[in-house]
mmCIF file of all heavy atoms in Angstrom:
data_model
loop_
_atom_site.group_PDB
_atom_site.id
_atom_site.type_symbol
_atom_site.label_atom_id
_atom_site.label_comp_id
_atom_site.label_asym_id
_atom_site.label_seq_id
_atom_site.Cartn_x
_atom_site.Cartn_y
_atom_site.Cartn_z
ATOM 1 N N THR A 5 72.093 158.253 66.672
ATOM 2 C CA THR A 5 70.864 158.956 66.958
ATOM 3 C C THR A 5 71.052 160.119 67.929
ATOM 4 O O THR A 5 70.281 161.056 67.958
ATOM 5 C CB THR A 5 69.798 158.013 67.545
ATOM 6 O OG1 THR A 5 70.356 157.367 68.705
ATOM 7 C CG2 THR A 5 69.428 156.963 66.510
ATOM 8 N N SER A 6 72.128 160.095 68.704
ATOM 9 C CA SER A 6 72.410 161.146 69.659
ATOM 10 C C SER A 6 73.414 162.136 69.054
ATOM 11 O O SER A 6 74.497 161.773 68.599
ATOM 12 C CB SER A 6 72.968 160.547 70.958
ATOM 13 O OG SER A 6 73.525 161.529 71.769
ATOM 14 N N TRP A 7 73.058 163.440 69.087
ATOM 15 C CA TRP A 7 73.912 164.441 68.538
ATOM 16 C C TRP A 7 75.224 164.557 69.308
ATOM 17 O O TRP A 7 76.300 164.641 68.735
ATOM 18 C CB TRP A 7 73.198 165.795 68.516
ATOM 19 C CG TRP A 7 74.126 166.898 68.119
ATOM 20 C CD1 TRP A 7 74.704 167.849 68.909
ATOM 21 C CD2 TRP A 7 74.569 167.156 66.799
ATOM 22 N NE1 TRP A 7 75.503 168.642 68.145
ATOM 23 C CE2 TRP A 7 75.419 168.279 66.851
ATOM 24 C CE3 TRP A 7 74.334 166.571 65.533
ATOM 25 C CZ2 TRP A 7 76.059 168.786 65.717
ATOM 26 C CZ3 TRP A 7 74.963 167.107 64.402
ATOM 27 C CH2 TRP A 7 75.785 168.201 64.520
ATOM 28 N N ASP A 8 75.143 164.521 70.644
ATOM 29 C CA ASP A 8 76.343 164.629 71.466
ATOM 30 C C ASP A 8 77.318 163.487 71.227
ATOM 31 O O ASP A 8 78.538 163.690 71.164
ATOM 32 C CB ASP A 8 75.954 164.677 72.963
ATOM 33 C CG ASP A 8 75.197 165.943 73.297
ATOM 34 O OD1 ASP A 8 75.419 166.976 72.642
ATOM 35 O OD2 ASP A 8 74.352 165.888 74.209
ATOM 36 N N GLU A 9 76.781 162.286 71.063
ATOM 37 C CA GLU A 9 77.648 161.109 70.762
ATOM 38 C C GLU A 9 78.309 161.248 69.400
ATOM 39 O O GLU A 9 79.466 160.954 69.235
ATOM 40 C CB GLU A 9 76.816 159.842 70.819
ATOM 41 C CG GLU A 9 77.630 158.614 70.583
ATOM 42 C CD GLU A 9 76.783 157.343 70.548
ATOM 43 O OE1 GLU A 9 75.564 157.396 70.705
ATOM 44 O OE2 GLU A 9 77.417 156.259 70.344
ATOM 45 N N PHE A 10 77.530 161.792 68.393
ATOM 46 C CA PHE A 10 78.062 161.977 67.069
ATOM 47 C C PHE A 10 79.228 162.971 67.095
ATOM 48 O O PHE A 10 80.290 162.705 66.521
ATOM 49 C CB PHE A 10 76.997 162.465 66.124
ATOM 50 C CG PHE A 10 77.490 162.805 64.744
ATOM 51 C CD1 PHE A 10 77.878 161.787 63.863
ATOM 52 C CD2 PHE A 10 77.611 164.079 64.331
ATOM 53 C CE1 PHE A 10 78.351 162.076 62.588
ATOM 54 C CE2 PHE A 10 78.083 164.430 63.070
ATOM 55 C CZ PHE A 10 78.452 163.412 62.199
ATOM 56 N N VAL A 11 79.064 164.081 67.805
ATOM 57 C CA VAL A 11 80.131 165.097 67.879
ATOM 58 C C VAL A 11 81.368 164.517 68.595
ATOM 59 O O VAL A 11 82.494 164.689 68.113
ATOM 60 C CB VAL A 11 79.610 166.363 68.607
ATOM 61 C CG1 VAL A 11 80.751 167.313 68.889
ATOM 62 C CG2 VAL A 11 78.540 167.036 67.780
ATOM 63 N N GLU A 12 81.146 163.858 69.692
ATOM 64 C CA GLU A 12 82.257 163.327 70.485
ATOM 65 C C GLU A 12 83.038 162.275 69.671
ATOM 66 O O GLU A 12 84.265 162.360 69.602
ATOM 67 C CB GLU A 12 81.738 162.664 71.753
ATOM 68 C CG GLU A 12 82.776 162.102 72.669
ATOM 69 C CD GLU A 12 82.176 161.488 73.912
ATOM 70 O OE1 GLU A 12 81.180 162.002 74.384
ATOM 71 O OE2 GLU A 12 82.751 160.463 74.350
ATOM 72 N N ARG A 13 82.345 161.360 69.038
ATOM 73 C CA ARG A 13 83.038 160.316 68.254
ATOM 74 C C ARG A 13 83.692 160.902 67.025
ATOM 75 O O ARG A 13 84.756 160.435 66.597
ATOM 76 C CB ARG A 13 82.053 159.180 67.915
ATOM 77 C CG ARG A 13 81.714 158.379 69.163
ATOM 78 C CD ARG A 13 80.883 157.192 68.868
ATOM 79 N NE ARG A 13 81.525 156.256 67.969
ATOM 80 C CZ ARG A 13 80.927 155.197 67.423
ATOM 81 N NH1 ARG A 13 79.653 154.914 67.769
ATOM 82 N NH2 ARG A 13 81.546 154.407 66.590
ATOM 83 N N SER A 14 83.082 161.909 66.406
ATOM 84 C CA SER A 14 83.672 162.553 65.233
ATOM 85 C C SER A 14 84.979 163.242 65.575
ATOM 86 O O SER A 14 85.958 163.144 64.834
ATOM 87 C CB SER A 14 82.712 163.561 64.636
ATOM 88 O OG SER A 14 81.518 162.936 64.217
ATOM 89 N N VAL A 15 84.986 163.951 66.685
ATOM 90 C CA VAL A 15 86.220 164.613 67.123
ATOM 91 C C VAL A 15 87.300 163.577 67.435
ATOM 92 O O VAL A 15 88.460 163.775 67.098
ATOM 93 C CB VAL A 15 85.937 165.562 68.333
ATOM 94 C CG1 VAL A 15 87.209 166.086 68.942
ATOM 95 C CG2 VAL A 15 85.042 166.728 67.895
ATOM 96 N N GLN A 16 86.926 162.509 68.092
ATOM 97 C CA GLN A 16 87.897 161.455 68.384
ATOM 98 C C GLN A 16 88.466 160.848 67.126
ATOM 99 O O GLN A 16 89.667 160.590 67.000
ATOM 100 C CB GLN A 16 87.249 160.325 69.217
ATOM 101 C CG GLN A 16 86.974 160.703 70.649
ATOM 102 C CD GLN A 16 86.212 159.619 71.374
ATOM 103 O OE1 GLN A 16 85.829 158.609 70.810
ATOM 104 N NE2 GLN A 16 85.982 159.806 72.665
ATOM 105 N N LEU A 17 87.595 160.635 66.132
ATOM 106 C CA LEU A 17 88.024 160.094 64.834
ATOM 107 C C LEU A 17 89.030 161.037 64.172
ATOM 108 O O LEU A 17 90.045 160.612 63.629
ATOM 109 C CB LEU A 17 86.797 159.838 63.973
ATOM 110 C CG LEU A 17 86.956 158.971 62.740
ATOM 111 C CD1 LEU A 17 87.296 157.549 63.164
ATOM 112 C CD2 LEU A 17 85.669 158.974 61.936
ATOM 113 N N PHE A 18 88.745 162.351 64.165
ATOM 114 C CA PHE A 18 89.603 163.319 63.549
ATOM 115 C C PHE A 18 90.945 163.384 64.286
ATOM 116 O O PHE A 18 91.996 163.433 63.645
ATOM 117 C CB PHE A 18 88.944 164.698 63.537
ATOM 118 C CG PHE A 18 89.832 165.743 62.865
ATOM 119 C CD1 PHE A 18 89.824 165.838 61.504
ATOM 120 C CD2 PHE A 18 90.662 166.545 63.623
ATOM 121 C CE1 PHE A 18 90.624 166.806 60.867
ATOM 122 C CE2 PHE A 18 91.459 167.478 62.995
ATOM 123 C CZ PHE A 18 91.446 167.619 61.603
ATOM 124 N N ARG A 19 90.900 163.378 65.614
ATOM 125 C CA ARG A 19 92.162 163.478 66.373
ATOM 126 C C ARG A 19 93.027 162.239 66.217
ATOM 127 O O ARG A 19 94.256 162.332 66.283
ATOM 128 C CB ARG A 19 91.858 163.708 67.857
ATOM 129 C CG ARG A 19 91.437 165.108 68.142
ATOM 130 C CD ARG A 19 91.234 165.381 69.586
ATOM 131 N NE ARG A 19 91.066 166.806 69.799
ATOM 132 C CZ ARG A 19 90.531 167.315 70.858
ATOM 133 N NH1 ARG A 19 90.112 166.540 71.846
ATOM 134 N NH2 ARG A 19 90.414 168.627 70.985
ATOM 135 N N ALA A 20 92.420 161.097 65.950
ATOM 136 C CA ALA A 20 93.178 159.868 65.775
ATOM 137 C C ALA A 20 93.972 159.885 64.458
ATOM 138 O O ALA A 20 95.117 159.461 64.403
ATOM 139 C CB ALA A 20 92.265 158.660 65.813
ATOM 140 N N ASP A 21 93.370 160.425 63.390
ATOM 141 C CA ASP A 21 94.045 160.453 62.103
ATOM 142 C C ASP A 21 93.588 161.675 61.307
ATOM 143 O O ASP A 21 92.686 161.572 60.429
ATOM 144 C CB ASP A 21 93.737 159.180 61.324
ATOM 145 C CG ASP A 21 94.600 159.031 60.066
ATOM 146 O OD1 ASP A 21 95.521 159.806 59.902
ATOM 147 O OD2 ASP A 21 94.330 158.112 59.270
ATOM 148 N N PRO A 22 94.133 162.865 61.597
ATOM 149 C CA PRO A 22 93.636 164.088 60.940
ATOM 150 C C PRO A 22 93.957 164.161 59.429
ATOM 151 O O PRO A 22 93.259 164.870 58.709
ATOM 152 C CB PRO A 22 94.357 165.213 61.695
ATOM 153 C CG PRO A 22 95.453 164.581 62.397
ATOM 154 C CD PRO A 22 95.144 163.128 62.594
ATOM 155 N N GLU A 23 94.936 163.434 58.948
ATOM 156 C CA GLU A 23 95.323 163.492 57.536
ATOM 157 C C GLU A 23 94.279 162.818 56.631
ATOM 158 O O GLU A 23 94.121 163.250 55.481
ATOM 159 C CB GLU A 23 96.650 162.864 57.347
ATOM 160 C CG GLU A 23 97.815 163.647 57.971
ATOM 161 C CD GLU A 23 97.994 164.977 57.345
ATOM 162 O OE1 GLU A 23 97.898 165.130 56.116
ATOM 163 O OE2 GLU A 23 98.263 165.961 58.098
ATOM 164 N N SER A 24 93.604 161.784 57.092
ATOM 165 C CA SER A 24 92.715 161.068 56.194
ATOM 166 C C SER A 24 91.238 161.161 56.607
ATOM 167 O O SER A 24 90.411 160.513 55.995
ATOM 168 C CB SER A 24 93.112 159.596 56.152
ATOM 169 O OG SER A 24 92.943 158.988 57.395
ATOM 170 N N THR A 25 90.918 161.991 57.611
ATOM 171 C CA THR A 25 89.555 162.122 58.035
ATOM 172 C C THR A 25 88.809 163.158 57.168
ATOM 173 O O THR A 25 89.377 164.250 56.927
ATOM 174 C CB THR A 25 89.445 162.522 59.528
ATOM 175 O OG1 THR A 25 90.151 161.541 60.280
ATOM 176 C CG2 THR A 25 88.026 162.595 59.990
ATOM 177 N N ARG A 26 87.613 162.805 56.730
ATOM 178 C CA ARG A 26 86.826 163.718 55.908
ATOM 179 C C ARG A 26 85.462 163.951 56.573
ATOM 180 O O ARG A 26 84.940 163.102 57.249
ATOM 181 C CB ARG A 26 86.565 163.114 54.528
ATOM 182 C CG ARG A 26 87.819 162.902 53.711
ATOM 183 C CD ARG A 26 87.536 162.377 52.354
ATOM 184 N NE ARG A 26 86.683 161.187 52.305
ATOM 185 C CZ ARG A 26 87.068 159.935 52.510
ATOM 186 N NH1 ARG A 26 88.321 159.708 52.894
ATOM 187 N NH2 ARG A 26 86.265 158.960 52.384
ATOM 188 N N TYR A 27 84.941 165.156 56.354
ATOM 189 C CA TYR A 27 83.659 165.558 56.932
ATOM 190 C C TYR A 27 82.816 166.086 55.763
ATOM 191 O O TYR A 27 83.233 166.962 55.054
ATOM 192 C CB TYR A 27 83.881 166.613 57.984
ATOM 193 C CG TYR A 27 82.658 167.357 58.440
ATOM 194 C CD1 TYR A 27 81.604 166.714 59.033
ATOM 195 C CD2 TYR A 27 82.549 168.739 58.301
ATOM 196 C CE1 TYR A 27 80.484 167.391 59.463
ATOM 197 C CE2 TYR A 27 81.454 169.446 58.707
ATOM 198 C CZ TYR A 27 80.401 168.752 59.287
ATOM 199 O OH TYR A 27 79.296 169.408 59.702
ATOM 200 N N SER A 28 81.618 165.527 55.598
ATOM 201 C CA SER A 28 80.760 166.014 54.531
ATOM 202 C C SER A 28 79.327 166.127 55.018
ATOM 203 O O SER A 28 78.957 165.491 55.999
ATOM 204 C CB SER A 28 80.852 165.082 53.328
ATOM 205 O OG SER A 28 80.306 163.818 53.625
ATOM 206 N N MET A 29 78.559 166.951 54.318
ATOM 207 C CA MET A 29 77.175 167.088 54.607
ATOM 208 C C MET A 29 76.376 167.074 53.319
ATOM 209 O O MET A 29 76.864 167.525 52.291
ATOM 210 C CB MET A 29 76.889 168.329 55.386
ATOM 211 C CG MET A 29 77.226 169.608 54.728
ATOM 212 S SD MET A 29 77.059 170.959 55.873
ATOM 213 C CE MET A 29 78.713 171.543 55.861
ATOM 214 N N LYS A 30 75.176 166.497 53.411
ATOM 215 C CA LYS A 30 74.349 166.396 52.214
ATOM 216 C C LYS A 30 72.909 166.759 52.629
ATOM 217 O O LYS A 30 72.434 166.227 53.609
ATOM 218 C CB LYS A 30 74.392 165.002 51.673
ATOM 219 C CG LYS A 30 73.520 164.839 50.440
ATOM 220 C CD LYS A 30 73.788 163.535 49.654
ATOM 221 C CE LYS A 30 73.663 162.284 50.491
ATOM 222 N NZ LYS A 30 73.678 161.078 49.719
ATOM 223 N N TYR A 31 72.291 167.650 51.887
ATOM 224 C CA TYR A 31 70.928 168.047 52.158
ATOM 225 C C TYR A 31 70.062 167.686 50.982
ATOM 226 O O TYR A 31 70.337 168.047 49.873
ATOM 227 C CB TYR A 31 70.838 169.532 52.458
ATOM 228 C CG TYR A 31 69.412 170.005 52.714
ATOM 229 C CD1 TYR A 31 68.757 169.661 53.888
ATOM 230 C CD2 TYR A 31 68.745 170.771 51.772
ATOM 231 C CE1 TYR A 31 67.466 170.070 54.129
ATOM 232 C CE2 TYR A 31 67.418 171.159 52.007
ATOM 233 C CZ TYR A 31 66.803 170.789 53.177
ATOM 234 O OH TYR A 31 65.530 171.200 53.420
ATOM 235 N N ARG A 32 68.972 166.954 51.275
ATOM 236 C CA ARG A 32 68.031 166.591 50.206
ATOM 237 C C ARG A 32 66.747 167.403 50.419
ATOM 238 O O ARG A 32 66.033 167.180 51.377
ATOM 239 C CB ARG A 32 67.686 165.111 50.258
ATOM 240 C CG ARG A 32 68.834 164.227 49.782
ATOM 241 C CD ARG A 32 68.470 162.753 49.797
ATOM 242 N NE ARG A 32 67.144 162.504 49.177
ATOM 243 C CZ ARG A 32 66.965 162.167 47.906
ATOM 244 N NH1 ARG A 32 67.979 162.094 47.066
ATOM 245 N NH2 ARG A 32 65.762 161.914 47.468
ATOM 246 N N HIS A 33 66.595 168.383 49.554
ATOM 247 C CA HIS A 33 65.457 169.310 49.697
ATOM 248 C C HIS A 33 64.102 168.595 49.539
ATOM 249 O O HIS A 33 63.181 168.876 50.253
ATOM 250 C CB HIS A 33 65.563 170.434 48.702
ATOM 251 C CG HIS A 33 64.483 171.431 48.808
ATOM 252 N ND1 HIS A 33 64.414 172.326 49.880
ATOM 253 C CD2 HIS A 33 63.419 171.727 48.031
ATOM 254 C CE1 HIS A 33 63.340 173.082 49.719
ATOM 255 N NE2 HIS A 33 62.714 172.731 48.621
ATOM 256 N N CYS A 34 64.054 167.635 48.616
ATOM 257 C CA CYS A 34 62.783 166.942 48.406
ATOM 258 C C CYS A 34 62.347 166.144 49.643
ATOM 259 O O CYS A 34 61.140 166.013 49.896
ATOM 260 C CB CYS A 34 62.895 166.034 47.189
ATOM 261 S SG CYS A 34 64.139 164.744 47.299
#
Side-chain angles (χ1 to χ4, degrees):
T5 56
S6 168
W7 174 257
D8 294 329
E9 182 184 0
F10 175 73
V11 170
E12 182 180 325
R13 289 186 59 188
S14 298
V15 169
Q16 288 175 356
L17 195 66
F18 181 83
R19 285 185 169 160
D21 191 9
E23 293 295 320
S24 65
T25 302
R26 297 183 308 281
Y27 166 61
S28 66
M29 61 188 119
K30 179 168 55 170
Y31 178 71
R32 288 183 46 93
H33 182 72
C34 60

